[in-house]
Amino acid sequence: MTQDLLDLARSVGREASAYVARTRPGGRVDVAATKSSPTDVVTAIDKGCEELIRQRILSVRPDDSFLGEEGDDIIGTSDVQWIVDPIDGTVNFVYGVPFYAVSIAAAVDGEVEAGFVINIANGTEFSATRGGGSYRNSPGKDAIRLEAPTVPRLDHALVATGYHYVREIRTKQAAAVARMIPQVRDVRRIGSAALDLCGLAAGSYDAYVEQGLMPWDLAAGGLIAREAGIVISGLDGSPDERLVMAAHPSISGEFFDLVRACGF
Ligand code: IPD
């Protein structure tokens, strides 16, 4: 069953990515509305993409539940819930910064079992099943199994992060990041939490911290990172909207202590 869920996530994710790439006009994309703050944008293409994903998945599995970033959630009767971000990295998508992704996860009885993320701008795919490992599939290359590399020391770690859309919250986050910068190699803010977590799995970063992530930002990328050997935690152990911190086990304890000490 898990493999079937991943196969469906992959085929629908590829179709959704092709839809977004084909529909995106050149230059800047028009903003259709704003959400939590004036800079938290949604485009008509986000909505069209989520609609496409919902229709495709529920046409094959009509009894499942569906939770998507753009709303109209569905409570089904099966034990499977789909958790979907049609475009993670919407601001990048609007500006044409090539880091925005379709993210699709399938949870069974509340546990994420399959995850698929595709960078729409370059076609690189990441996937995982629980207990089955994580894979990266780049166009024109063989798929490779991901194993996050050991990090010899925390002060050499490259840390990915992101900021909330609400001004008061991002002000506090920026202060916490300022306290972290002298203790690590450097900090990156790429603009897509799903791709940050996949990048952690692939060894592009050594650690990650963010507050304010929603389930659709975290579900697929979180499984992909975990299956590559990354430890993910939050305020009370499980990562959630309040805090997501993640790192290779070689530095996870020290990194999580640093996150708390910096005031995240
Ligand atoms: C956002 C991105 C960003 C993260 C924000 C998310 P969206 O998702 O993942 O990197 O910092 O917290 O909301 O709005 O582009 O789908």
Side-chain angles (χ1 to χ4, degrees):
M1 155 129 157
T2 301
Q3 190 57 46
D4 293 343
L5 295 174
L6 178 60
D7 290 345
L8 182 57
R10 183 185 289 114
S11 69
V12 173
R14 284 178 178 167
E15 185 183 350
S17 173
Y19 161 81
V20 173
R22 182 173 74 238
T23 316
R24 188 185 189 286
R28 293 264 173 104
V29 177
D30 287 339
V31 169
T34 58
K35 297 185 284 186
S36 62
S37 85
T39 53
D40 182 6
V41 296
V42 59
T43 72
I45 303 174
D46 288 84
K47 290 174 181 286
C49 183
E50 182 162 312
E51 185 57 34
L52 182 153
I53 294 170
R54 186 172 42 230
Q55 277 176 5
R56 293 293 187 275
I57 288 177
L58 296 183
S59 70
V60 178
R61 301 186 51 93
D63 299 332
D64 292 353
S65 301
F66 190 95
L67 176 69
E69 181 176 20
E70 308 313 336
D72 296 336
D73 302 330
I74 287 166
I75 310 289
T77 53
S78 81
D79 53 4
V80 175
Q81 182 190 41
W82 295 86
I83 306 164
V84 170
D85 195 338
I87 305 179
D88 183 58
T90 305
V91 175
N92 286 344
F93 171 67
V94 166
Y95 280 76
V97 179
F99 293 95
Y100 46 92
V102 175
S103 172
I104 302 179
V108 181
D109 286 330
E111 181 91 50
V112 178
E113 293 287 340
F116 178 77
V117 173
I118 176 167
N119 182 340
I120 300 164
N122 66 14
T124 300
E125 299 175 358
F126 299 88
S127 61
T129 51
R130 193 160 72 94
S134 305
Y135 292 85
R136 178 177 61 203
N137 198 347
S138 303
K141 295 188 183 161
D142 292 336
I144 59 161
R145 185 165 180 162
L146 298 176
E147 197 183 325
T150 300
V151 188
R153 34 195 289 189
L154 181 60
D155 60 357
H156 284 193
L158 185 61
V159 180
T161 192
Y163 305 106
H164 204 274
Y165 289 111
V166 174
R167 182 191 302 209
E168 293 70 27
I169 301 176
R170 57 197 280 117
T171 302
K172 287 189 190 142
Q173 289 171 330
V177 169
R179 288 190 278 270
M180 178 173 282
I181 284 177
Q183 322 276 354
V184 296
R185 181 186 296 273
D186 209 343
V187 171
R188 294 286 181 271
R189 198 293 192 246
I190 296 296
S192 161
L195 290 175
D196 287 337
L197 289 160
C198 293
L200 194 54
S204 303
Y205 313 112
D206 296 311
Y208 171 75
V209 59
E210 183 156 357
Q211 291 164 301
L213 288 193
M214 301 306 286
W216 43 81
D217 298 314
L218 175 65
L223 179 67
I224 291 161
R226 268 200 186 102
E227 287 294 323
I230 293 294
V231 182
I232 306 189
S233 192
L235 271 188
D236 311 318
S238 294
D240 59 24
E241 192 179 346
R242 295 169 300 165
L243 180 66
V244 177
M245 47 188 181
H248 187 274
S250 49
I251 54 157
S252 55
E254 240 187 311
F255 178 68
F256 297 169
D257 287 346
L258 177 65
V259 166
R260 293 187 196 95
C262 290
F264 279 95

